[in-house]
Amino acid sequence: MLPAANRLTRSQDFGLVVRRGRRAGRPRLVVHALVPATDPLAQPTLECSKVGFVVSKAVGNSVVRHRVSRRLRHVVRDRLDALPPGTSLVVRALAPAAAASSAELGEDFDAALRRLSR
């Protein structure tokens, strides 16, 4: 489970990250990242990284969507310490994520973060 302090919950926060943040797409997911050090208009008061997930009906039915979101939460939780403080992420699952294992989702997430860090 992701700690409450590390969750994006407000719609405005999701919108801000998607609009202003950088994006890296992979075959199974898309990661939007907003790092306060690179964006002067980002909220500088965040001391911990925050993550939000978007898993639409295109991924599958309710059971499949919840399975994908649980796998993504587990993948991201293990990598939170590697993110710069104050980073906001939105992880959007694509339809192929339904058939992906946790290891495949982790590889895609790591590749997206590497691409964003350039």
Side-chain angles (χ1 to χ4, degrees), residues 14-73:
F14 275 84
L16 180 71
V17 174
V18 171
R19 276 193 317 275
R20 289 211 128 118
R22 296 182 58 207
R23 177 179 58 130
R26 302 303 308 155
R28 296 173 197 94
L29 52 89
V30 177
V31 178
H32 299 269
L34 184 63
V35 182
T38 61
D39 186 4
L41 298 177
Q43 298 173 352
T45 59
L46 296 174
E47 65 272 351
C48 62
S49 299
K50 293 189 178 270
V51 183
F53 301 96
V54 177
V55 184
S56 73
K57 287 186 179 181
V59 174
N61 64 19
S62 175
V63 174
V64 173
R65 289 194 312 268
H66 286 267
R67 182 183 309 129
V68 169
S69 64
R70 283 193 308 269
R71 287 180 178 165
L72 286 173
R73 274 197 311 267

Side-chain angles (χ1 to χ4, degrees), residues 66-111:
H66 286 267
R67 182 183 309 129
V68 169
S69 64
R70 283 193 308 269
R71 287 180 178 165
L72 286 173
R73 274 197 311 267
H74 179 74
V75 164
V76 172
R77 183 191 65 200
D78 294 340
R79 293 158 174 85
L80 271 177
D81 295 335
L83 298 174
T87 301
S88 296
L89 293 178
V90 171
V91 180
R92 184 167 43 104
L94 301 176
S101 68
S102 294
E104 292 170 333
L105 291 173
E107 290 170 9
D108 278 355
F109 184 74
D110 291 338

